[in-house]
Amino acid sequence: MAELSNVHIVNQRRWSTAFFVQDDWRATDRLTLNLGLRYDFMTPSYEADNRMANFDPATGTLVFASDGSLQDRTLVKPDRNNFGPRIGIVYQANERTVVRGGYGIFYNPIDRIGSEDQLALNPPGLINNNQTVTSTTTPVFFLRDGFPATTSDPANVVYSRLPIRAANPSGVNAQFQQFAAGIERQLGREFVVSADFVGNIGRNIAVLRNLNQPANGNGARPYPDFAHIQWRDPIGESRYRGVDVSAEKRFGSGYSWRVAYTLSDSRDQAPEHLAATSGRQQDTNDIEAWEGPSDFDVRHRFVGNFVAELPFGDGRAVDLGGVGNAVLGGWTVSGIYTARSGRPFTVTQGSLEGATWMPNQVGDAEGAQDVDDWFNVNAFERVPSGVFGNTRRNSLRGPGYVAFDMSVQKRVTFTSRVAASLRWDVFNLFNRANFGNPNSNITGSNAGTISTLAGDPRVMQFSFRLFF
């Protein structure tokens, strides 16, 4: 048995243009404005010989590229409205206090979801996994004779056996509005504290969904002559809100340190397709039901770091003289401590036609939160094939993360022009086991258990550097 394919060379092309203007305006002695405007334009993909096809939901048929306008060749309307204004504000309230803020609109002029939305990978330009030829007594064909001519005949295409790549022809680009406001205050000569509010709102984010999902999950297909239609649709939204606070002692008296804490909330219904841990939406026609914490959402994060020079050596607090200074002088110790809360995960019962298949939640999902029983598997009940379960995306949280990295460095000066440094770095100094999220497919025998790590065990490295 052989499945025959006709592979062609795809010669896809794009072109883009961008320009911006920007200026700093000192409105008063205390107020400075940074004003700007950027414009971006990038064409949708087109193929050198117009070998592209898109799906038209209105007629239930494929439409094909042709010579003519850019839209005729790309089958997607170019988005020419990507104007992004920017403004930054800095106000010096007094000699020790600065208030700052900013706002800007940004665009993603290219949305590519792997190969699954590439219109040049559609029949009849590309025919794959379409024909099956079976023989139990003689070879199907000899490679020396090439593929049978029928494999390249568009008339033999059976669309109900092929995945179709398709895109919403509106072609609107994803837009992100970013804004921030904060205050910074200097305390004494070396200490600085700050607090900032940061936000991001995303619109028109590309989502990949099955346009031909059976009605209600297990009914008739809207387009019975086709199979899976992978439809890129700019309907996704996202929202991030966060507060950052920090305190810093600038380097002086041989040491410095900084601590920072972030409290944030990130939500969307459009996870990044190629890196999504939550998968695709269960019901392709109800994108709002897929809203939940972002796959990368971290509610709490704390980071602290320090750099300290040991007080031994010439001109330092402790001068030990010749040999003592040579051995104990020139040492620097630094470290970084990182801690965060757990990332979200989705309880599933597998996938169905590229969509995440959800069970019903019938009880309290709280488990022992250890590696053998992180969540209560019995709180979820499997549903029949094609039935949409009521479990919410990313409704549970995995383990947190803690690590401390340290570095010790010795600097040796030979002459005014030659010096060297010997350095020892230790990552995850205390060898803490940082666990990954649990196995969340309830059909597996390991459901609820943790079998992966979110970070490396203790790792050490030594380095020597010569300066001349």
Side-chain angles (χ1 to χ4, degrees), residues 78-101:
D79 186 352
R80 305 180 186 275
N81 299 312
N82 299 333
F83 291 93
R86 319 284 168 82
I87 181 171
I89 302 173
V90 177
Y91 177 71
Q92 187 172 0
N94 54 52
E95 292 183 355
R96 294 179 174 270
T97 306
V98 172
V99 179
R100 60 201 173 206

Side-chain angles (χ1 to χ4, degrees), residues 90-170:
V90 177
Y91 177 71
Q92 187 172 0
N94 54 52
E95 292 183 355
R96 294 179 174 270
T97 306
V98 172
V99 179
R100 60 201 173 206
Y103 172 83
I105 297 179
F106 303 82
Y107 295 90
N108 184 16
I110 175 172
D111 280 317
R112 175 164 180 171
I113 307 177
S115 64
E116 295 177 289
D117 68 336
Q118 300 302 291
L119 305 186
L121 300 182
N122 276 327
L126 175 66
I127 305 170
N128 61 339
N129 296 332
N130 178 59
Q131 302 177 63
T132 301
V133 182
T134 304
S135 175
T136 58
T137 58
T138 61
V140 174
F141 64 90
F142 293 99
L143 287 176
R144 65 173 179 263
D145 299 326
F147 282 82
T150 56
T151 64
S152 300
D153 187 353
N156 293 328
V157 173
V158 181
Y159 290 108
S160 61
R161 297 188 56 201
L162 294 174
I164 299 297
R165 286 88 170 178
N168 189 320
S170 72

Side-chain angles (χ1 to χ4, degrees), residues 156-370:
N156 293 328
V157 173
V158 181
Y159 290 108
S160 61
R161 297 188 56 201
L162 294 174
I164 299 297
R165 286 88 170 178
N168 189 320
S170 72
V172 62
N173 293 145
Q175 180 198 84
F176 298 91
Q177 300 181 55
Q178 300 181 6
F179 46 91
I183 184 171
E184 182 176 295
R185 172 76 174 178
Q186 182 173 339
L187 306 175
R189 297 181 58 185
E190 298 178 347
F191 292 93
V192 177
V193 294
S194 66
D196 293 272
F197 172 78
V198 180
N200 184 306
I201 298 175
R203 296 287 185 268
N204 306 323
I205 303 172
V207 173
L208 191 68
R209 62 190 186 94
N210 181 8
L211 198 64
N212 207 23
Q213 186 181 61
N216 299 319
N218 55 13
R221 291 185 183 276
Y223 307 101
D225 294 333
F226 291 86
H228 193 129
I229 301 176
Q230 299 167 157
W231 179 256
R232 186 183 73 224
D233 212 356
I235 58 174
E237 298 179 352
S238 66
R239 183 196 70 208
Y240 172 86
R241 297 176 297 183
V243 175
D244 303 326
V245 294
S246 67
E248 176 183 2
K249 180 200 175 296
R250 294 170 176 169
F251 193 84
S253 303
Y255 71 98
S256 68
W257 55 260
R258 188 175 191 272
V259 293
Y261 168 73
T262 300
L263 172 65
S264 65
D265 176 42
S266 181
R267 299 181 65 84
D268 64 57
Q269 77 288 81
E272 203 289 314
H273 172 68
L274 295 179
T277 59
S278 56
R280 298 188 204 170
Q281 65 278 0
Q282 177 180 228
D283 184 354
T284 190
N285 297 307
D286 188 3
I287 189 69
E288 295 300 327
W290 202 236
E291 181 176 341
S294 302
D295 293 345
F296 51 82
D297 179 51
V298 172
R299 192 58 48 85
H300 305 279
R301 180 178 176 86
F302 175 84
V303 178
N305 65 71
F306 72 92
V307 177
E309 295 178 341
L310 297 189
F312 306 107
D314 293 334
R316 300 293 177 86
V318 182
D319 190 341
L320 301 175
V323 175
N325 287 344
V327 174
L328 297 179
W331 288 96
T332 301
V333 180
S334 59
I336 301 175
Y337 175 83
T338 303
R340 64 163 174 80
S341 55
R343 291 193 174 102
F345 67 91
T346 304
V347 178
T348 76
Q349 63 177 69
S351 60
L352 187 64
E353 292 203 347
T356 304
W357 190 7
M358 312 288 278
N360 279 333
Q361 184 171 345
V362 295
D364 185 3
E366 187 75 16
Q369 295 199 345
D370 59 37

